[in-house]
Structures are given as structure tokens and as C-alpha cells.
Amino acid sequence: CSDNSPAGTVTMLHGPHQLPMGATPGLPIGLRGGTWDGGPIGTLPPVRIDTTPVLDAEEGQEHGRRFNQTPVLEFTDEGARAVASIHEELFDDRIERVLNGWNTRGPLGGPSKLFRYTQRFRHWFRPSLGVPATGWPAMSVRVGVIPTLYRNEIVFRRDLSLRSLRLGLSRNSGLGLKPMLVVGDRREISTVPLFAGNGGPAPGPIRIERGEWFGFYSRGSSNSHLFVNRGDPIRLVVRNETVLIFAEPFAKPTGRRLRRGDVFHFEVLGLGFPLDVAVESPSDFRRVLDYLARPTGLEVLRGQRVESPGILDLETNDRAVEVVLTKPPDGIELVVPLRVRGLNPRWSVGVYQRRGYVAGAYGKGENRYRAAGVDFAGDAYIPLYPSLADRIHVVVGHPVVAGPDGRDLFIQLTKLAEAPFRWHVSVNNPTARPVETTLRAVIALPGLDLPAARMRFEPGEYRVLVAGTAP
């Protein structure tokens, strides 16, 4: 709903608001019942996670709850969404209690004093199997584990002697699920009960390095969550049924001196498990992570894979990548999160699926093309569904590119039809200067005939290169 304020999974809400650290798959509609448009869906999470940062320094304190957010939609397409939440200004001190985006809209009190932060959230969509058997048909039936990427970049506004920087916390959801905290590193897995009467002492602070992970599950029927640390080191502190997430080395009073402009990066890959993908023991988490590190049948035919905990991260080769996956082992119903890096947000990006999964209402899974969104960093987020097809084979990138001197051009490719394919390709020079560059196709798309050619575009010029017609 963009900047509307429904009560469901909200990411674009104005006012005091935080982006989620992960996503919880909803219960099947036959179990949860219906809801009004945008309303909350039924879930069974063992814990609920708050991503509000809290800074405590000798120079003062600032609580993320008192920040106003500016929501930003970077893109949304058929396979993923990317949003950001910018926190730079505080509500007026005269507001005794800041509530939420439905109850607190102002007045504002100016820029924050000690820190500012920007949260970013990326969500790869699960595959659709079709419409539900009952209820509103616009909400499709989706299956598998949800991958998400959460990042919080915290910038210190002045020199500080930090006591602590809390990044978030988890609380028992109150659904009687008896949650368990699971922590895994490169050597071992440990488990901590997070419910009253568990009979054990609280562990000491738990350090989580980049590439290490933690998660929450219950031995009863519930959703589960797994988080892989992809940023700076963090520290978990267990207090009864609550897990506090601190920046490391700021988890305890240290008197560490920070300079104005210093940055802390908190980033986690989140995996949200539906009820039908059961986590019965910590080893189930490890099995999923081992698969993501080495997906079954992975072949990178174009591009280069880069080190990236939990994500299939590919750098382009001549502005595109090509990848193959085969069906994973039984029991791993997981969306493989592919991120393609090094793209130009001004040029069309597409996904050409040579072979793979589609629901089937509009054709088969071979030789399908769709447009893809690009975030502000030039990254595309493509969900792959190997558990639903014997073989996944996709090409992702810019179908048509310019040379380095044409990086400021807008290059638009639009699919007009399939069987046979028909295309429309246009170029716009939005600058105030002439641009001379070479245009060429770098992805072999059926029916697209665009030989490489040197071209000159005058300031403001719009030119159609391929004038396909719709059927």
C-alpha cells in the first residue's frame, strides 16, 4: 500500500516506525481465517523482534523510538521488494510518549543529537502455487521459507564515549510456544531456553561474528526464524525470556571513544520458516545454511560468485549473469536468494528464464522473460525456486547496454508479446550534453535483433531503436 497505513506487514508507514528484521510466513487461510484488506495475518512466531536502536553514552542517551522515519520505496517487482527507512530527526521533547504511526505525527523537534540511522529491508517473494480454495482470490497461496535482508547503518553525529549501542531485542511472543535460542558458529551449536521455569542459568554474553548465526524455534508447532550475521560483530545478552542484541564491542560499558562520522553496520540475512517446513532441532538450521553455501547443482555460467554469507551473490560479466540450479535434497523448500550486483539503475534489467518454475496459468516455465527492479546501489534481487523444478536456468542483467560514455542514458527494453517474442527498445538522453556511445545487446533474447552500433544522442533526445508492435 506504499505510504498507506494498513495494520499488516507495514514497511512504508510514516511517523515512528522500524523496519522488520525478517518475515514470518502466515498460516494457511483455512487455519487463520480471512482478514480485511491489509489487515494482520495469523502467524505463530516463538518470539517477536523489535529493531529499535538505543544509544547510551557519557554524553547522553537517544532512543530510536523518538525518531521520525522517512519511508523510501526503492523498487518492487514480481520477485522482490526493496524499501528503506531514514531516521534523522526527533519528535519534539514536549511529546511525553511517542506511540506509533497511527497516533504520533508531530510536532518534530529537529535533527537528532547523537546518531542517525538508515534501515534497509529486502524481501525475496516465495513462489505462488495459485489461488486459495476459499476467500479473496487476489492473495495467492505461497510456499517455502522466506529469505529477507535487513541492514541498519548507524552514523554517529559527534564524538562519543559509548556505554552501549542496542540494535534490537526479541521477546517471548506470549503464545505459549516455549521458544529456544540457537546459536551457531564455525565449530558448534548451542541452545538456550527462553521461557519461564526452564531451570537453567542465563548464559554469558554471546559474540556473533560475521558469517555466524542465531535463530529461534519451538518444539511445538510454530514458525521459526534464522538470522545470519553479515555485518559488524554483534553480541547477544539473554535476560530471562528476552534476548538483547548489542553492537560489539559496545555491549558493556567500555568508555570507547568514537569520532563524529564513525559508522556501525548491522546486517542479517533472515529466513522465516512456515509451519509446514518444520524445524525440529538446531541441526535443521545448519542443514539449510549448508545448502545455501553450496546449492545443489549450482553452475555459474556467466559472472562471478562473491563471498556473501547466506546469499547467492553474483557480480556481472558484461552486465549479466547466468546460473543453473537443480532440485535440492528432500525437505529443503527454500527460496534461493540471488542478488545480482554491478547494474545500472538507468538501464532495463530483465530475467530470462530458459527453464524453471511458473504457476502455469500463462504458459510453461521455458523461455520466459520479465522485467526486474534495481535498488539504489545497483543490485537486483531474484528469487529462485529449485524445489519446484528439476532444473533452474536463468540469465539476469541488462539485455541492451551502452559503453562507459553512455552510463547516463536511459535504456528501456519492454517485452510486448511472447510466442513469438516482440520487443520495444528506446533510448533517452536526459543530460544537457550530446552523448556518443556504442549500443549493443548482451543477452541473446529470442526475436531481438539489435546489432552493435555507434550512435550519437543529442541533449534531451528520445529515440526508438526497435519498434515492435503488440498483438
Side-chain angles (χ1 to χ4, degrees):
C1 293
S2 214
D3 64 350
N4 201 352
S5 300
T9 305
V10 180
T11 54
M12 299 296 292
L13 184 67
H14 287 275
H17 192 61
Q18 312 296 325
L19 294 185
M21 205 166 82
T24 305
L27 302 175
I29 192 169
L31 293 178
R32 73 175 188 253
T35 183
W36 56 278
D37 181 16
I41 60 175
T43 58
L44 285 174
V47 300
R48 301 193 186 278
I49 299 175
D50 184 348
T51 61
T52 306
V54 181
L55 183 147
D56 181 16
E58 292 182 9
E59 292 78 6
Q61 296 180 342
E62 274 186 341
H63 197 296
R65 180 62 64 186
R66 296 199 64 87
F67 281 69
N68 177 53
Q69 81 145 352
T70 300
V72 177
L73 175 64
E74 296 190 38
F75 80 84
T76 185
D77 63 22
E78 294 180 25
R81 62 175 170 145
V83 296
S85 175
I86 301 171
H87 300 77
E88 295 184 331
E89 55 187 357
L90 299 173
F91 287 98
D92 195 291
D93 290 339
R94 291 172 293 175
I95 300 177
E96 292 186 3
R97 184 183 179 193
V98 175
L99 294 176
N100 52 48
W102 292 269
N103 298 91
T104 308
R105 293 297 180 96
L108 299 178
S112 57
K113 307 296 190 299
L114 304 183
F115 75 107
R116 58 182 173 86
Y117 63 104
T118 300
Q119 297 177 322
R120 301 186 187 278
F121 185 72
R122 281 80 176 101
H123 175 185
W124 289 267
F125 299 153
R126 298 186 296 164
S128 169
L129 299 186
V131 299
T134 60
W136 189 36
M139 303 300 291
S140 61
V141 176
R142 296 183 181 271
V143 296
V145 178
I146 301 177
T148 58
L149 185 64
Y150 168 84
R151 180 180 178 86
N152 191 0
E153 182 178 271
I154 298 173
V155 181
F156 303 102
R157 286 190 179 271
R158 54 167 294 181
D159 295 355
L160 292 172
S161 294
L162 270 180
R163 295 192 179 102
S164 67
L165 175 59
R166 197 178 78 195
L167 305 167
L169 58 85
S170 76
R171 295 187 178 94
N172 191 312
S173 64
L175 300 176
L177 298 175
K178 295 186 176 181
M180 308 285 285
L181 167 67
V182 181
V183 178
D185 57 23
R186 297 174 179 83
R187 300 170 298 279
E188 59 183 16
I189 298 176
S190 58
T191 304
V192 181
L194 297 176
F195 51 88
N198 59 63
I206 304 168
R207 183 181 173 98
I208 309 290
E209 300 278 358
R210 174 181 165 85
E212 299 177 343
W213 55 272
F214 64 100
F216 303 93
Y217 84 105
S218 170
R219 291 194 173 94
S221 180
S222 74
N223 296 114
S224 302
H225 290 94
L226 175 61
F227 300 100
V228 181
N229 183 21
R230 296 171 43 85
D232 295 332
I234 60 176
R235 180 171 290 199
L236 308 183
V237 176
V238 179
R239 294 179 183 170
N240 299 320
E241 300 180 19
T242 300
V243 178
L244 306 173
I245 306 172
F246 287 97
E248 175 72 21
F250 315 128
K252 287 187 174 182
T254 61
R256 174 165 178 174
R257 191 72 178 168
L258 293 179
R259 295 294 184 185
R260 177 183 178 183
D262 284 350
V263 182
F264 185 88
H265 299 96
F266 176 42
E267 180 175 314
V268 291
L269 169 74
L271 297 174
F273 291 73
L275 263 64
D276 59 354
V277 182
V279 176
E280 299 177 348
S281 71
S283 61
D284 291 329
F285 284 149
R286 174 78 81 184
R287 184 167 179 253
V288 168
L289 293 175
D290 287 345
Y291 169 77
L292 287 175
R294 295 172 293 277
T296 304
L298 174 63
E299 296 180 65
V300 179
L301 305 180
R302 180 175 178 179
Q304 298 82 35
R305 187 177 186 183
V306 297
E307 187 273 336
S308 186
I311 293 178
L312 180 55
D313 241 343
L314 298 182
E315 293 280 359
T316 62
N317 180 4
D318 200 13
R319 298 291 187 165
V321 303
E322 185 170 0
V323 63
V324 171
L325 290 174
T326 56
K327 190 176 286 290
D330 291 341
I332 296 183
E333 297 181 26
L334 176 67
V335 176
V336 174
L338 169 63
R339 180 170 66 174
V340 180
R341 312 185 71 175
L343 301 170
N344 186 336
R346 291 178 175 237
W347 302 349
S348 285
V349 176
V351 182
Y352 179 42
Q353 180 172 287
R354 297 184 183 275
R355 183 174 174 180
Y357 171 77
V358 295
Y362 303 101
K364 298 181 180 180
E366 290 79 31
N367 297 321
R368 303 296 296 270
Y369 179 90
R370 70 168 177 87
V374 183
D375 71 7
F376 293 170
D379 299 337
Y381 297 77
I382 312 300
L384 302 178
Y385 309 134
S387 61
L388 297 178
D390 291 332
R391 182 179 176 88
I392 301 290
H393 184 178
V394 297
V395 184
V396 182
H398 296 301
V400 179
V401 304
D405 41 6
R407 62 183 178 275
D408 293 330
L409 297 174
F410 285 103
I411 303 175
Q412 177 68 41
L413 176 140
T414 304
K415 183 191 73 175
L416 301 177
E418 294 180 359
F421 279 93
R422 299 178 188 177
W423 307 95
H424 188 278
V425 181
S426 62
V427 178
N428 169 238
N429 176 12
T431 72
R433 67 183 189 281
V435 172
E436 187 171 341
T437 188
T438 299
L439 273 293
R440 59 195 176 92
V442 295
I443 297 178
L445 296 176
L448 179 62
D449 184 15
L450 187 66
R454 189 76 177 172
M455 300 182 185
R456 177 185 171 91
F457 298 90
E458 299 301 326
E461 181 182 355
Y462 171 83
R463 188 186 307 174
V464 175
L465 303 184
V466 177
T469 57

